[in-house]
Amino acid sequence: MNVKTVIHQLQQHKSGLCCEDVKRLLAGLGFDVRDGKQGGHKVFVHQGLPSFHSSSFNCGHGKNPEIKPAYITKIIQILKQNQDELDDYLTRTPR
């Protein structure tokens, strides 16, 4: 999986993505997605990106709920800002 593909998938399904889908996409790019301090909040970090510290999104409540489009937009923006570094990381790291 590459960054461009993930960005495209997020853009195409912005209003219908469930929490598990987003977690899977981010994990495929090497992000570590963890539970945040409050219920439903997820924090994601990346060991291979020195310029990226962390960010978060809210999964809401219930079993695998949909994520609000505003969070998807934020994730897309983060991926675009770090695309070169992510692409480099993914080519260096065997999957």
Side-chain angles (χ1 to χ4, degrees):
M1 189 175 314
N2 65 39
V3 182
K4 188 175 182 178
T5 301
V6 171
I7 290 171
H8 180 73
Q9 288 180 0
L10 291 171
Q11 289 172 329
Q12 293 299 311
H13 307 287
K14 192 182 274 190
S15 62
L17 284 168
C18 294
C19 188
E20 292 302 318
D21 296 331
V22 174
K23 287 169 50 178
R24 179 184 46 78
L25 290 170
L26 290 173
L29 296 176
F31 285 93
D32 181 23
V33 183
R34 305 179 200 146
D35 290 336
K37 291 182 180 179
Q38 297 179 345
H41 281 87
K42 304 295 177 195
V43 176
F44 58 102
V45 298
H46 199 294
Q47 300 275 348
L49 299 178
S51 64
F52 178 75
H53 300 288
S54 70
S55 191
S56 64
F57 58 94
N58 189 342
C59 283
H61 302 286
K63 188 175 182 178
N64 199 21
E66 286 187 11
I67 298 175
K68 292 181 182 179
Y71 289 111
I72 302 300
T73 300
K74 179 181 172 185
I75 292 169
I76 291 169
Q77 181 181 15
I78 289 168
L79 294 179
K80 285 181 176 180
Q81 288 172 347
N82 294 283
Q83 185 168 357
D84 291 339
E85 276 186 284
L86 276 168
D87 283 335
D88 185 50
Y89 171 82
L90 292 171
T91 57
R92 288 182 285 119
T93 306
R95 295 262 159 196

